Amino acid sequence: MKHLTFYLGLILLLVYTSVTQASNIPENENPEKTSEVENFDYRNGMLQWETYAGVDVKFFLIESSDNSEKWKLVNEVNAYEKIRYKHRYTFDLRRPKKFYRLSVINSDGDIKQIGVIKTSTKE
């Protein structure tokens, strides 16, 4: 009887662990995802990007430039922490410059540039 109780307890522990770990995996997420940001884009006067659960982002830096050489900080956008699903961010560009750059700051203070978007074809 002791062995039966032990094995039943072990089985229940394994089932509980499997269920709780599975509930933390967001729908449609690739668990191997290593990039902090996806789909960085410019549409209808807005910068847009997405993050997924488990990424280490404290906030985003948005910078602008007329020539993609000299950058000026436009805004800092706080990241949603401890989300379970992907989250879409948008930033309204009231007076668009020619180029925008998005960077992430993680919890250690490290900065990673994500990409540059050209919003205008004017030379």
Side-chain angles (χ1 to χ4, degrees), residues 21-121:
Q21 286 179 350
S23 68
N24 290 331
I25 299 174
E27 296 175 22
N28 302 322
E29 177 169 348
N30 177 358
E32 301 298 319
K33 194 171 293 301
T34 57
S35 176
E36 289 86 352
V37 173
E38 283 197 345
N39 303 321
F40 179 44
D41 197 11
Y42 173 73
R43 289 188 189 160
N44 302 323
M46 307 274 287
L47 291 177
Q48 304 174 13
W49 64 96
E50 296 177 341
T51 60
Y52 288 84
V55 295
D56 181 22
V57 176
K58 283 295 190 187
F59 59 95
F60 302 93
L61 296 178
I62 299 173
E63 299 170 286
S64 67
S65 174
D66 290 322
N67 57 14
S68 77
E69 293 175 15
K70 186 176 178 184
W71 294 93
K72 179 181 176 187
L73 180 64
V74 174
N75 203 357
E76 294 179 5
V77 177
N78 289 326
Y80 288 90
E81 295 183 42
K82 299 180 183 178
I83 58 173
R84 291 183 59 195
Y85 304 100
K86 71 179 180 179
H87 185 79
R88 187 155 191 72
Y89 295 84
T90 59
F91 183 76
D92 187 8
L93 302 177
R94 302 206 189 287
R95 294 184 187 150
K97 297 285 186 182
K98 191 169 183 182
F99 297 94
Y100 283 88
R101 179 167 69 184
L102 181 69
S103 300
V104 297
I105 310 295
N106 69 18
S107 59
D108 294 332
D110 296 331
I111 300 173
K112 180 179 179 183
Q113 290 183 6
I114 298 302
V116 174
I117 296 273
K118 186 174 183 180
T119 60
S120 171
T121 56

Side-chain angles (χ1 to χ4, degrees), residues 6-34:
F6 171 77
Y7 287 114
L8 282 174
L10 185 59
I11 289 171
L12 287 173
L13 178 63
L14 290 173
V15 168
Y16 174 76
T17 303
S18 298
V19 168
T20 56
Q21 286 179 350
S23 68
N24 290 331
I25 299 174
E27 296 175 22
N28 302 322
E29 177 169 348
N30 177 358
E32 301 298 319
K33 194 171 293 301
T34 57

